[in-house]
Amino acid sequence: MPQPHRPTRRAPGSQPPRPRSARGGGGRRTGHRDDRPRWGVRIAAVLSLVVLGSGAVGHAVMTGLDTGIERVDPFKDMKNRPQAGHGVNFLLVGTDGREKITPEEKREYRLGGAPCHCTDTVMLVHLSADRERASVISLPRDSYAEVPAHQDLVTGRPHQAHPVKLNAAYAEGGPNLTVRTVENMTRVKIDHYLEVDFTSFMKTVDAMGGVEICTAKAMHDTYTGLDLLPGTHRLTGGQALQYVRSRHVDGASDLGRMQRQQRFIAALIKQATGGGVLLNPVKFKEVSSTLLGSVRADRGFGSEQMLALGQAMRGFTPSSSEFASVPVGDPSFQVKGIGSTVKWDEPKAAKLFEALRQDRPLAPARPGQAPRGPAPVPVDVPPKQIRVQVENGTRIDGLGGRVDAALRATGFDTTQAPAAGASREVRRTVIAYDPRWDRSARTVSTALPGSELRAVAGQGRTVLVIAGADFKKAVPVRAEDPYQGEFGVVTGDQVVCGS
């Protein structure tokens, strides 16, 4: 792995949840500044984090932590709500909060522009009844929605039901209208509502000592200032914000950003459950109090709920979490007076939310899934797309066959017909490749650590591996975007760095 590229910066905070049975809400504005921070995802992460760990520290630490929570009543006067299902559902929304950031931080993390009373991310988080699984579903901010009749927060004027982008529900009617709108769209009853700004997110990441992220390719975004080399990185709060905001690092735009956010949440959960945060009362209180200093939540969410939930989830791991976004039917659905909206694929979305109501896992069983072993190293190109011919460059009988089998076992499309090499004195394994397929060659070299890359113009798409005497084994690798099934679901252990 290349040497970690380390970022820079500061500070403290974090928090968790528990079950009840009738609460929720959140939303955001109608504007469409695509480069606004999508930090709401961090909310889910941070949340899962506290949610997961409170039980490990006990009542002494938790007592009084909820005194800093600003209370809202997102369920006021709500009628005709969906029937409660199994497990607990949280609605997590993220708000701007850039007015709390120093001028220096604004410059360093490219957070220019005026603050807005808006939300940038809306997410549903479902905790299973047995407390062994958390399902996180992203609801696109520009989703086509129909808000029910309500009173405008700013003007006080009554509004009839009308179509909007989902983020407009918060601007028009705050948490209450957002909860009502999301419940109408999903038919999922919200139990708790949590709202966090991204400044708290930055401080929380810093309080945890940073979060480890790995990437198989360089990531550069001039809009956010993100600049990462391939390899493993421990991001501080400000750099974590850049990572989850970036949408100009590839051609995937918001989809790519969503996948990076999922990876970050999984990494944050891994840090919380495996990094000693939950087992260290002092550290846990520091992280919790930092987040709770700026969170807004419903009145039924407090330290008792956090503690009870944490005690029930002590065995939680990254593989216990799963992430998805609502299936999209039309990403550019035009609506008069609103513009381009994201129209859900209604049949698929209905199946997704039905699974949530029924407390069923969203992640599919992966075809051909191998038994658990060392965590695969993320690579740029899926191994199954790379054709490999193996040659034995030594006098060791059967070495070519062993290398071919080892590469095939980790997913490469080998010829299964290893040949004898021109030389029989190769000490260090060589990977010969056409420069036009350099990304494929780097993926093969990741599976064969210590090998030598050798460019051969005109060789074609097949990568030639000349096995040397140094070969011991092939390292398992996986593409950065794993199999996601019908709903685009990934589990946390699929997207975190290997151990």
Side-chain angles (χ1 to χ4, degrees):
M1 248 334 171
Q3 197 64 23
H5 167 75
R6 305 182 75 96
T8 56
R9 210 129 181 114
R10 42 198 128 332
S14 161
Q15 153 171 19
R18 133 106 175 138
R20 283 273 298 226
S21 152
R23 329 230 118 100
R28 117 166 205 279
R29 74 164 221 206
T30 55
H32 61 280
R33 280 278 310 265
D34 282 337
D35 56 340
R36 285 199 187 278
R38 299 262 208 178
W39 53 265
V41 175
R42 285 83 84 190
I43 301 178
V46 166
L47 204 34
S48 305
L49 169 99
V50 200
V51 158
L52 308 178
S54 46
V57 286
H59 262 294
V61 173
M62 299 305 297
T63 301
L65 279 186
D66 54 353
T67 57
I69 302 176
E70 182 181 344
R71 297 295 178 183
V72 294
D73 189 1
F75 310 108
K76 184 178 180 181
D77 301 327
M78 287 184 64
K79 301 174 183 177
N80 302 317
R81 302 185 65 194
Q83 183 176 354
H86 304 287
V88 188
N89 300 311
F90 297 84
L91 189 64
L92 308 177
V93 302
T95 55
D96 192 310
R98 72 181 68 198
E99 71 277 4
K100 303 175 185 177
I101 291 180
T102 67
E104 293 77 16
E105 287 173 322
K106 284 185 178 179
R107 284 193 298 271
E108 182 169 359
Y109 303 123
R110 313 288 173 89
L111 295 169
C116 65
H117 178 68
C118 61
T119 62
D120 213 38
T121 301
V122 182
M123 305 179 74
L124 266 177
V125 176
H126 172 80
L127 300 174
S128 62
D130 60 11
R131 300 299 179 269
E132 292 184 358
R133 184 182 68 258
S135 305
V136 181
I137 301 177
S138 298
L139 310 183
R141 62 179 183 174
D142 292 335
S143 295
Y144 173 84
E146 293 186 9
V147 294
H150 62 280
Q151 189 174 50
D152 192 289
L153 270 185
V154 179
T155 66
R157 293 168 50 192
H159 284 300
Q160 296 300 313
H162 61 278
V164 295
K165 292 182 180 180
L166 179 57
N167 59 357
Y170 188 91
E172 290 189 21
N176 181 266
L177 185 60
T178 303
V179 172
R180 293 173 63 196
T181 303
V182 171
E183 287 195 344
N184 286 349
M185 295 173 74
T186 65
R187 304 312 301 162
V188 172
K189 188 175 185 180
I190 306 300
D191 300 307
H192 290 291
Y193 172 86
L194 289 153
E195 180 184 311
V196 183
D197 65 52
F198 65 74
T199 56
S200 175
F201 159 75
M202 291 169 62
K203 294 177 180 178
T204 299
V205 172
D206 283 330
M208 291 183 63
V211 173
E212 186 178 81
I213 288 294
C214 52
T215 176
K217 52 191 172 186
M219 303 179 71
H220 304 288
D221 189 338
T222 56
Y223 290 84
T224 64
L226 180 71
D227 186 12
L228 298 178
L229 297 174
T232 301
H233 316 271
R234 181 163 293 276
L235 304 184
T236 60
Q239 287 125 12
L241 185 61
Q242 292 173 318
Y243 180 82
V244 295
R245 285 181 61 210
S246 291
R247 63 186 298 271
H248 300 282
V249 297
D250 50 35
S253 190
D254 286 341
L255 175 61
R257 171 159 54 180
M258 181 196 74
Q259 291 170 337
R260 284 186 289 279
Q261 291 169 345
Q262 292 171 344
R263 292 188 186 109
F264 184 84
I265 296 173
L268 190 53
I269 292 173
K270 180 181 179 182
Q271 173 80 1
T273 56
V277 173
L278 305 182
L279 300 177
N280 184 328
V282 175
K283 190 69 172 177
F284 181 82
K285 186 166 186 176
E286 178 190 2
V287 172
S288 299
S289 60
T290 300
L291 176 64
L292 293 177
S294 59
V295 73
R296 299 214 306 165
D298 65 88
R299 294 190 176 97
F301 173 72
S303 58
E304 283 189 25
Q305 286 73 27
M306 289 191 282
L307 183 59
L309 185 60
Q311 288 172 333
M313 300 178 68
R314 279 181 292 219
F316 211 83
T317 66
S319 62
S320 306
S321 57
E322 53 184 14
F323 306 92
S325 60
V326 178
V328 173
D330 185 349
S332 302
F333 181 67
Q334 296 295 322
V335 180
K336 186 177 180 180
I338 298 176
S340 178
T341 67
V342 175
K343 192 82 164 73
W344 295 358
D345 182 320
E346 295 297 342
K348 286 186 178 180
K351 288 174 65 177
L352 177 67
F353 294 120
E354 175 64 16
L356 212 64
R357 287 191 294 272
Q358 296 299 320
D359 200 23
R360 297 197 304 266
L362 307 179
R366 281 167 279 166
Q369 187 172 15
R372 292 271 176 195
V377 178
V379 291
D380 192 7
V381 181
K384 66 181 180 181
Q385 296 179 10
I386 303 173
R387 185 68 167 170
V388 178
Q389 170 65 54
V390 177
E391 290 184 358
N392 185 352
T394 75
R395 299 181 187 278
I396 303 172
D397 290 340
L399 179 62
R402 295 209 311 274
V403 173
D404 184 288
L407 290 173
R408 193 164 192 83
T410 195
F412 291 95
D413 179 23
T414 67
T415 63
Q416 301 186 71
S423 170
R424 309 292 278 175
E425 306 298 333
V426 177
R427 294 182 178 277
R428 180 183 177 192
T429 298
V430 174
I431 298 172
Y433 67 97
D434 189 309
R436 294 174 295 173
W437 280 272
D438 60 323
R439 292 167 58 232
S440 294
R442 287 196 298 272
T443 294
V444 178
S445 70
T446 300
L448 298 172
S451 55
E452 174 190 344
L453 283 167
R454 186 178 297 170
V456 179
Q459 178 172 295
R461 66 178 292 265
T462 299
V463 176
L464 175 63
V465 173
I466 306 171
D470 65 335
F471 174 79
K472 293 182 176 59
K473 64 178 182 179
V475 172
V477 296
R478 61 164 168 78
E480 278 199 316
D481 300 319
Y483 173 69
Q484 298 184 359
E486 182 179 9
F487 302 126
V489 182
V490 293
T491 53
D493 60 325
Q494 290 177 281
V495 293
V496 295
C497 300
S499 51

